[in-house]
Amino acid sequence: VLQNININATMTTTKLKTIIFLGSARNITPPWGGDSRLGDRVIKWVKSVMESRKEPLGADTISHDIRIIDPNEVFGPNGALSYSGAELSKPTFFMDQNKLPAAAKELQEAIKQADCYLVVSPEYNHSIPPALSSLMGHFGGSNYKCKPSGIITYSPGVFAGMRAAMMIQVMLHELGCLPVSKLCGVGTVSEVLNVDGTPIDPDNRMLKQLPELLTQLEWMAVAMANQRKLTGTF
């Protein structure tokens, strides 16, 4: 799955297929004002950081081929999982694969072919948002296993979604995409990121978490991809 591009005899560029799951399906502006979905600021920032990232890893330079999976699109009209709905009435692994809708089959294959995953999520009732658990839970663990994942949480307040992060870790373990130890939590998002996702203060210490998380994710993604090539999966 890894895309290796030879630069010279001693260095290659490795492009990781990276899927980002957005955890919020909120689509309403609250009566007191603010964003209809605060996570849009966060996902724009994450995307910008990853698109510009070219990090050395041994003799390789690592970059990312990103795909963002948004529950509002996936469960919306004509979405890949609109046939099932966010209530998870028809998980793909309970269906005859020959009868799986084309869009759902394409999404399943993209998840299966990915090298690593990121989850960008708020917390709902101090727990995992239902849109996230339904979205990822539509696909069996065989699609995720033997690959790494990373967790980015956020909130309008100071706790940065960390209570949900602890539970998302368990979910990712059970799916088989093992989360790296470094977490990224962005609290008081509207004071850290502009609406377009650009940092209000580029030196804000909370923004330093993401590069550290990505370093761990990239190391694990390359190591696990190499092992899959050697032995396959269990």
Side-chain angles (χ1 to χ4, degrees):
V1 177
L2 290 176
Q3 299 178 26
N4 292 318
I5 304 167
N6 289 323
I7 296 176
N8 52 48
T10 60
M11 181 172 289
T12 59
T13 295
T14 297
K15 183 167 284 192
L16 298 172
K17 289 185 179 294
T18 305
I19 285 186
I20 306 176
F21 292 99
L22 188 53
S24 173
R26 203 181 81 183
N27 189 24
I28 185 172
T29 302
W32 52 87
D35 301 46
S36 59
R37 184 168 64 174
L38 196 58
D40 289 344
R41 300 190 190 209
V42 182
I43 195 69
K44 289 173 184 175
W45 167 63
V46 171
K47 183 173 181 283
S48 175
V49 170
M50 295 186 70
E51 286 178 340
S52 63
R53 189 169 171 85
K54 292 178 176 59
E55 288 298 307
L57 179 62
D60 289 355
T61 298
I62 307 298
S63 61
H64 294 265
D65 179 10
I66 303 163
R67 177 169 176 176
I68 297 170
I69 302 181
D70 184 337
N72 281 339
E73 297 175 2
V74 170
F75 294 121
N78 301 314
L81 299 177
S82 59
Y83 73 93
S84 175
E87 65 272 23
L88 193 52
S89 65
K90 297 180 182 69
T92 58
F93 49 90
F94 272 84
M95 297 183 65
D96 182 338
Q97 294 299 294
N98 294 321
K99 297 180 180 178
L100 199 62
K105 186 175 289 187
E106 186 278 330
L107 180 55
Q108 178 177 259
E109 187 62 21
I111 291 170
K112 189 170 186 175
Q113 293 301 318
D115 296 302
C116 55
Y117 310 95
L118 281 172
V119 171
V120 177
S121 180
E123 60 180 30
Y124 280 19
N125 298 318
H126 302 170
S127 186
I128 302 173
L132 176 62
S133 57
S134 176
L135 173 55
M136 297 191 73
H138 264 87
F139 304 95
S142 62
N143 297 285
Y144 299 98
K145 69 178 181 180
C146 301
K147 302 169 194 175
S149 59
I151 301 169
I152 303 161
T153 54
Y154 63 88
S155 71
V158 297
F159 291 105
M162 280 294 114
R163 289 164 291 200
M166 299 299 102
M167 299 181 188
I168 293 170
Q169 282 183 324
V170 177
M171 182 179 76
L172 297 179
H173 272 288
E174 290 302 309
L175 287 172
C177 49
L178 306 182
V180 298
S181 62
K182 182 66 180 179
L183 297 169
C184 176
V186 183
T188 56
V189 171
S190 60
E191 298 176 15
V192 177
L193 299 172
N194 293 304
V195 173
D196 64 359
T198 56
I200 293 172
D201 175 7
D203 294 323
N204 189 305
R205 63 183 180 83
M206 283 193 283
L207 303 178
K208 301 183 188 303
Q209 300 171 91
L210 181 56
E212 295 173 3
L213 183 157
L214 292 175
T215 295
Q216 291 188 7
L217 184 74
E218 291 157 0
W219 194 100
M220 292 297 294
V222 171
M224 295 173 89
N226 288 338
Q227 189 63 31
R228 290 196 307 275
K229 288 179 184 177
L230 286 173
T231 65
T233 61
F234 43 75

